[in-house]
């Protein structure tokens, strides 16, 4: 496992890329007609996908390079090279945009809320470019044990639970890198055969097939172990 300083430095670089993406977005929306919901929505649909794709692809390339670098430095046997994850599909981004601009269509339009939601959605997708790259590589690398979650200082209780003190997620087929807007958590690979596995509740929270029952289990666990 890379040194903690290297891991934190990597996450910081991803956060910097995300902030640059949000700066591009803020620069673009300065000219939007926020008091005209159809016009603002059309502007978002035109601009946001390109901003997300540009920076998501950059984050994915960084993650692939760092994965390969750390694999070499760890002296992991065998030959493997990570591939940057594919960028988000257009329909997924457009769905996020429609949700984000919802406050503009209220009886009392709230452009500040719409901008905040757009930032959250765009930032989450940029980070996902890197995290998907690592999760995919950890699943494909024959020598990888799995991937770990690195949460930011002051992270919410959901992210702290999923980080689970450095535990490893060993199955990419049943779990995903669950993230919310402004999450800023990062995935890093582990080749440590002795690393502890993430607890069962973390797999439940990261499941690709969430149910009302599983969500209730996660809420109960958070209330008991990570009180507000």
């Amino acid at each position: 496992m890379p040194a903690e300083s290297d891991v934190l430095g990597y996450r910081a670089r991803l956060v910097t890329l995300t902030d640059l993406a949000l700066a591009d977005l803020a620069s673009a929306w300065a000219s939007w007609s926020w008091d005209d919901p159809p016009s603002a929505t059309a502007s978002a649909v035109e601009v946001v996908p390109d901003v997300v794709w540009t920076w998501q692809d950059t984050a994915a390339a960084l993650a692939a390079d760092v994965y390969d670098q750390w694999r070499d430095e760890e002296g992991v046997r065998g030959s493997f090279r990570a591939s940057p994850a594919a960028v988000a599909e257009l329909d997924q981004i457009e769905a996020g945009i429609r949700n984000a601009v919802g406050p503009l269509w209220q009886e009392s339009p709230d452009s500040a809320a719409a901008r905040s939601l757009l930032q959250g959605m765009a930032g989450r997708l940029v980070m996902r470019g890197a995290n998907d790259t690592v999760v995919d590589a950890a699943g494909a690398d024959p020598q990888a044990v799995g991937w770990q979650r690195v949460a930011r200082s002051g992270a919410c209780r959901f992210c702290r639970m999923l980080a689970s003190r450095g535990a490893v997620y060993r199955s990419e087929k049943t779990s995903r890198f669950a993230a919310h807007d402004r999450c800023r958590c990062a995935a890093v690979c582990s080749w440590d055969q002795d690393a502890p596995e993430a607890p069962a509740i973390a797999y439940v929270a990261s499941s690709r097939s969430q149910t009302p029952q599983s969500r209730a289990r996660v809420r109960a666990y958070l209330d008991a172990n990570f009180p507000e």
Side-chain angles (χ1 to χ4, degrees), residues 23 53 56 72 88 90 102 105 119 128 146 152 168 192 197 212 218:
W53 287 331
Q56 190 178 50
D72 290 342
L90 177 59
W105 298 83
Q119 285 183 319
R128 201 186 83 180
R152 62 180 173 81
V168 171
D192 181 3
E197 186 168 7
V218 171

Side-chain angles (χ1 to χ4, degrees), residues 38-51:
S39 175
T41 300
S43 296
V45 169
E46 180 180 1
V47 172
V48 173
D50 284 337
V51 171

Side-chain angles (χ1 to χ4, degrees), residues 56-147:
Q56 190 178 50
D57 194 50
T58 302
L62 170 62
D65 287 344
V66 169
Y67 187 102
D68 294 342
Q69 175 189 336
W70 286 351
R71 193 182 194 279
D72 290 342
E73 291 174 353
E74 292 288 302
V76 179
R77 68 180 185 275
S79 177
F80 179 84
R81 284 294 178 261
S83 298
V87 295
E89 297 288 344
L90 177 59
D91 58 354
Q92 181 184 20
I93 299 176
E94 290 182 340
I97 292 171
R98 288 193 295 272
N99 176 70
V101 300
L104 299 178
W105 298 83
Q106 298 172 163
E107 184 175 350
S108 298
D110 189 342
S111 59
R115 288 192 289 268
S116 179
L117 288 170
L118 278 174
Q119 285 183 319
M121 181 271 294
R124 172 171 49 81
L125 290 178
V126 170
M127 291 289 293
R128 201 186 83 180
N131 293 332
D132 281 357
T133 296
V134 173
V135 172
D136 291 347
D141 185 347
Q143 304 305 325
V145 172
W147 53 271

Side-chain angles (χ1 to χ4, degrees), residues 157 160-161 201 216-228:
R157 62 180 188 159
R160 296 200 310 273
M161 177 194 70
I201 192 65
R217 285 180 59 194
V218 171
R219 285 194 299 271
Y221 183 89
L222 287 171
D223 290 341
N225 296 276
F226 298 89
E228 298 278 12

Side-chain angles (χ1 to χ4, degrees), residues 8-26:
L8 295 179
Y10 164 67
R11 195 195 71 82
R13 291 167 71 187
L14 293 180
V15 170
T16 297
L17 292 182
T18 301
D19 288 341
L20 289 171
L22 299 188
D24 279 357
L25 183 57

